[in-house]
Amino acid sequence: MANEQDIYEEHVLDHYEDPYHRGVLENATHEDEGKNPLCGDVIQVTLRLDDEGRVAEAWFDGEGCVISQAAASMLIEKIEGKTPEEIRDFSANEMLELFGPKLTPNRQKCCLLSWRVLQSALHSPIEDDDEDDSDGPSFGGPSLGEES
């Protein structure tokens, strides 16, 4: 196992200090959020899939350790332009390789948090609130006009 200093390689610190696409993606089509209960790291992933189903844009936000935040930045940069199938085929081991330094099992959980959230975000489309024309709350079921 690498020592603690090896974790903070230059490319890891670069992604932590100047992350790729960190923030809120306003026109997202898919999103999810996850937390590492062991340390409290939180990652939110937002995606915009284009008409062909590819990831046109990917952003992340969250808070946590250097590993979780740098790994999220690396992953978001890697997946843009990919199809959901390509992303689903991207394994946890490949994510650990992308990160670089060898990690203890507890640190691997920090690294894999964004990967897990990304996988679930692919299955979490954002509902379009603009399609609901009603002015009041919606409780499901038939409307009064449909009951006859």
Side-chain angles (χ1 to χ4, degrees):
M1 225 18 86
N3 71 36
E4 190 72 16
Q5 284 302 75
D6 293 340
I7 293 171
Y8 302 105
E9 291 179 359
E10 186 174 342
H11 80 279
V12 173
L13 291 176
D14 286 347
H15 275 278
Y16 178 73
E17 293 168 357
D18 187 21
Y20 181 82
H21 280 192
R22 182 183 189 125
V24 177
L25 176 59
E26 293 298 327
N27 56 349
T29 59
H30 293 72
E31 72 177 342
D32 202 13
E33 180 175 297
K35 182 177 182 179
N36 182 344
L38 293 175
C39 62
D41 293 347
V42 176
I43 296 286
Q44 178 186 31
V45 171
T46 52
L47 308 171
R48 183 175 59 81
L49 301 184
D50 64 19
D51 293 338
E52 297 173 9
R54 291 188 175 275
V55 176
E57 274 188 276
W59 287 70
F60 84 98
D61 208 356
E63 54 188 58
C65 67
V66 170
I67 295 169
S68 71
Q69 303 303 295
S73 174
M74 292 174 194
L75 179 63
I76 293 302
E77 184 175 41
K78 179 165 183 63
I79 62 143
E80 284 191 332
K82 304 274 190 230
T83 66
E85 293 77 26
E86 291 171 317
I87 294 169
R88 281 191 279 278
D89 290 344
F90 184 70
S91 71
N93 284 334
E94 289 172 307
M95 180 65 210
L96 293 171
E97 288 173 18
L98 174 67
F99 182 77
K102 300 290 183 218
L103 301 169
T104 64
N106 280 345
R107 296 289 198 157
Q108 286 178 5
K109 288 180 170 75
C110 297
C111 180
L112 293 174
L113 177 59
S114 58
W115 176 82
R116 283 192 355 254
V117 173
L118 171 64
Q119 299 298 327
S120 60
L122 288 172
H123 301 286
S124 302
I126 298 172
E127 303 229 355
D128 188 6
D129 292 336
D130 295 339
E131 292 179 12
D132 184 13
D133 292 52
S134 70
D135 293 331
S138 174
F139 300 104
S143 69
L144 291 177
E146 294 171 341
E147 289 183 14
S148 51

